Amino acid sequence: HIQKTVKGSTDTKALAALLQPRCEKLADISEQVDFFDFIPEYGIELFTHKKMKTDPVNSLDSLKASLELLSNLPEWSQTAIHDELMALAEKKEVKNGIIMYPLRVALSGKAFTPGGAVEIATLLGRDESLRRVEAAIGKLNV
């Protein structure tokens, strides 16, 4: 069912592992993964999350730092992405959510997704991830 829903070259086994605990029936899959093929239209208000303590201003700062980090990442793997983003949060002296939540929104156009920013970036690949982060920065940079 995932292969019918996601048309790109996404690793369907990795995606299935993310979806399994989040879907009760097959019909749940398409709404969980629709952003892999195209990012839905979303407004900058999505970057505001009370619990994560994010808003459009600190999200813009986080995304710019994440873009630079991800652009220069020598290896595109889940471990490398995770470790470098955690180091970025530590360097900026912020909680992980300040980095990860805006990145998840930028990559998916959604507040809730199967998996987090690291898993989504890994599945989307470097080029598509960077393109989506750049688009989100453009959206916030108005």
Side-chain angles (χ1 to χ4, degrees):
H1 195 72
I2 292 172
Q3 289 170 330
K4 290 179 189 173
T5 306
V6 179
K7 293 161 185 60
S9 61
T10 302
D11 180 345
T12 54
K13 285 184 182 182
L15 185 54
L18 289 175
L19 287 170
Q20 194 271 330
R22 292 169 180 86
C23 293
E24 291 183 21
K25 54 190 183 290
L26 288 176
D28 294 341
I29 292 174
S30 60
E31 105 179 30
Q32 292 272 342
V33 298
D34 57 357
F35 66 89
F36 279 99
D37 289 328
F38 68 93
I39 192 155
E41 190 55 45
Y42 66 94
I44 65 169
E45 69 280 353
L46 197 55
F47 289 98
T48 300
H49 192 292
K50 198 174 191 175
K51 183 179 173 192
M52 297 292 177
K53 298 183 177 149
T54 62
D55 58 43
V57 173
N58 65 14
S59 291
L60 178 60
D61 180 59
S62 291
L63 288 174
K64 285 179 176 178
S66 295
L67 179 64
E68 182 179 344
L69 179 147
L70 294 172
S71 295
N72 296 307
L73 201 61
E75 175 193 350
W76 196 264
S77 70
Q78 192 165 328
T79 301
I81 295 167
H82 173 271
D83 292 352
E84 291 299 318
L85 289 171
M86 291 299 108
L88 176 62
E90 191 174 316
K91 178 182 167 192
K92 291 178 112 356
E93 298 179 350
V94 297
K95 292 191 181 247
N96 298 342
I98 300 275
I99 300 296
M100 297 298 201
Y101 181 77
L103 186 55
R104 177 198 316 213
V105 171
L107 294 172
S108 68
K110 295 181 171 204
F112 302 102
T113 56
V118 173
E119 293 86 358
I120 295 168
T122 304
L123 288 167
L124 287 174
R126 182 187 306 264
D127 293 343
E128 183 63 13
S129 294
L130 296 178
R131 187 186 70 71
R132 290 182 183 200
V133 173
E134 287 170 352
I137 289 169
K139 222 181 244 279
L140 290 166
N141 225 355
V142 268

